[in-house]
Amino acid sequence: MSKKYEYVWLDGYKPEPSLRSKVKIDNSAVKWSFDGSSTQQAEGGKSDCVLNPVNEYFMLDRIRPDATRARGNTDMSATYVMCEVLDADNKPHPTNTRNKIKSISTDWWFGFEQEYFMYKDGRPLGWPENGEPREQGDYYCGVGCDNVVGREIVDRHTEACMNAEIGITGTNAEVALGQWEFQVLGKGVKAGDDLWMARYILIKIAEWHGVSINLHPKPLGQTDWNGSGMHTNFSNNKMRDSGSEELMNSMCDALGAVHSEGIKEYGSDNDQRLTGLHETQSIDQFSYGVSDRGASIRIPIYTVQNNWNGYLEDRRPASNADPYRIINHIVSTLDKN
Ligand code: MG
């Protein structure tokens, strides 16, 4: 019986790729081609690129379809197919950042804290047409329509991710009105697949509400409004099971030694966000410390109290970063160690 497959991939736009998708009705998720000349991945004269399925997410969407359909929304049911892009000769395309990490061990776990703004009519959702809402304070984990907007989208997104067995672990309203966060935990390369697919599903649900998802790390410029980051929590077997203060410090030192290389992998315009204010370290400095939210890397108190077994939190990645590039930087730096 034919089924609906929604193929999702990353285009060739710089500095960060955008998501693309198209639908195929078939019996299974097989390789498929697309016009790479329309996604900055090929020249017009030789335009075919190949979509190679790497992960499938089955969404039955039986949780509360009636509530959303009543507002004119559609069913989410489909198999969502995360794809990597190959060139016409079936070799990894230069834009294929996933290919660099496809063989990493699932001993590596990554917990991404994806912050983002919802936007409508060129300004954050819920903001007045002119000027700004009252200052930050009430919005973080806020309750009530004076304090949060867009919860309908967030709840729907959380349900959809759970339904598709994406490793979503939580969500919360953030410090600016219209700003939210979700967290995704995954193992090995699938952590990157899950985050990209979670972004895709969020953007698609927001479409129904005429809302766009803004992943820029400082969409409101140099104001007192917070930017958006993507704090990346990571660990491997050794850190979780036979950690020590020396091990954690040596890992922070190793990442510090390649700080500027890391920043190049952690998202564009991150200099606007990593200013030393708003719980960040300056982009040109590297530091780490226990419980320190003003550091580049925070050693969580959980890790210390657990006899130095646990994880580290890299606070540098921006909200617009490609998770495959973050994973590649962390693992290639620390696997050498
Ligand atoms: Mg946050």
Side-chain angles (χ1 to χ4, degrees):
M1 196 179 79
S2 293
K3 289 192 291 188
K4 180 179 169 190
Y5 293 91
E6 198 152 322
Y7 284 57
V8 176
W9 75 97
L10 306 178
D11 67 17
Y13 278 65
K14 306 261 187 248
E16 279 80 35
S18 310
L19 284 157
R20 304 276 176 151
S21 76
K22 60 176 183 166
V23 170
K24 190 176 204 315
I25 311 301
D26 209 331
N27 300 314
S28 63
V30 293
K31 275 187 187 172
W32 198 15
S33 63
F34 69 99
D35 169 16
S37 71
S38 299
T39 60
Q40 302 201 351
Q41 283 163 310
E43 300 295 325
K46 197 180 177 223
S47 65
D48 275 349
C49 288
V50 174
L51 296 175
N52 186 35
V54 292
N55 244 316
E56 293 180 32
Y57 300 85
F58 306 99
M59 182 112 64
L60 291 171
D61 197 46
R62 286 183 182 145
I63 294 180
R64 43 165 234 185
D66 294 342
T68 48
R69 284 190 194 121
R71 290 188 297 271
N73 294 338
T74 54
D75 192 339
M76 293 284 289
S77 309
T79 297
Y80 292 79
V81 185
M82 192 69 214
C83 299
E84 64 172 356
V85 175
L86 308 178
D87 64 22
D89 302 321
N90 280 303
K91 302 227 170 58
H93 192 274
T95 60
N96 182 345
T97 49
R98 185 187 193 275
N99 181 62
K100 294 197 176 79
I101 57 165
K102 67 181 179 193
S103 59
I104 71 163
S105 165
T106 50
D107 289 351
W108 281 104
W109 297 3
F110 296 90
F112 295 108
E113 303 174 22
Q114 174 73 68
E115 293 179 335
Y116 61 94
F117 275 85
M118 294 183 190
Y119 261 63
K120 191 166 183 134
D121 302 325
R123 57 183 178 276
L125 187 64
W127 282 42
E129 223 167 294
N130 297 301
E132 298 185 350
R134 63 191 192 283
E135 65 183 23
Q136 288 182 177
D138 296 329
Y139 310 124
Y140 171 73
C141 298
V143 177
C145 60
D146 293 331
N147 299 324
V148 286
V149 289
R151 193 190 296 279
E152 201 168 55
I153 294 169
V154 170
D155 283 352
R156 189 77 176 94
H157 174 246
T158 306
E159 285 173 6
C161 287
M162 290 170 67
N163 196 333
E165 297 187 356
I166 288 170
I168 191 162
T169 60
T171 185
N172 62 270
E174 266 301 336
V175 294
L177 184 64
Q179 188 188 30
W180 290 84
E181 169 179 319
F182 66 85
Q183 302 102 33
V184 165
L185 174 70
K187 300 177 181 179
V189 65
K190 188 170 183 293
D193 298 338
D194 279 13
L195 183 75
W196 274 118
M197 191 55 79
R199 284 177 176 176
Y200 175 75
I201 290 168
L202 176 64
I203 292 166
K204 177 170 164 165
I205 290 170
E207 275 177 18
W208 298 339
H209 298 262
V211 167
S212 60
I213 300 302
N214 188 325
L215 291 180
H216 192 275
K218 201 74 184 178
L220 297 163
Q222 292 313 310
T223 61
D224 217 22
W225 293 94
N226 274 42
S228 300
M230 191 161 70
H231 299 156
T232 300
N233 302 280
F234 63 91
S235 65
N236 60 16
N237 275 348
K238 198 171 177 192
M239 294 165 76
R240 289 189 296 273
D241 301 333
S242 49
S244 63
E245 184 172 2
E246 295 70 39
L247 175 72
M248 298 298 172
N249 287 346
S250 74
M251 289 182 143
C252 292
D253 287 332
L255 286 164
V258 290
H259 172 65
S260 57
E261 288 90 332
I263 289 296
K264 286 184 198 137
E265 303 301 313
Y266 283 0
S268 61
D269 293 332
N270 206 8
D271 55 316
Q272 296 173 28
R273 165 183 163 260
L274 295 179
T275 57
L277 302 173
H278 304 107
E279 300 180 65
T280 68
Q281 174 59 287
S282 295
I283 196 163
D284 52 4
Q285 287 178 45
F286 178 86
S287 65
Y288 60 91
V290 174
S291 285
D292 187 354
R293 286 185 161 76
S296 312
I297 296 181
R298 178 176 67 98
I299 302 173
I301 194 69
Y302 165 86
T303 298
V304 177
Q305 290 178 346
N306 201 30
N307 206 18
W308 290 89
N309 296 308
Y311 64 97
L312 295 171
E313 180 195 35
D314 194 333
R315 298 178 60 80
R316 297 171 294 168
S319 45
N320 58 358
D322 174 353
Y324 297 137
R325 291 175 64 180
I326 299 174
I327 293 172
N328 187 39
H329 177 71
I330 291 174
V331 174
S332 64
T333 301
L334 298 181
D335 269 353
K336 273 190 292 215
N337 233 29

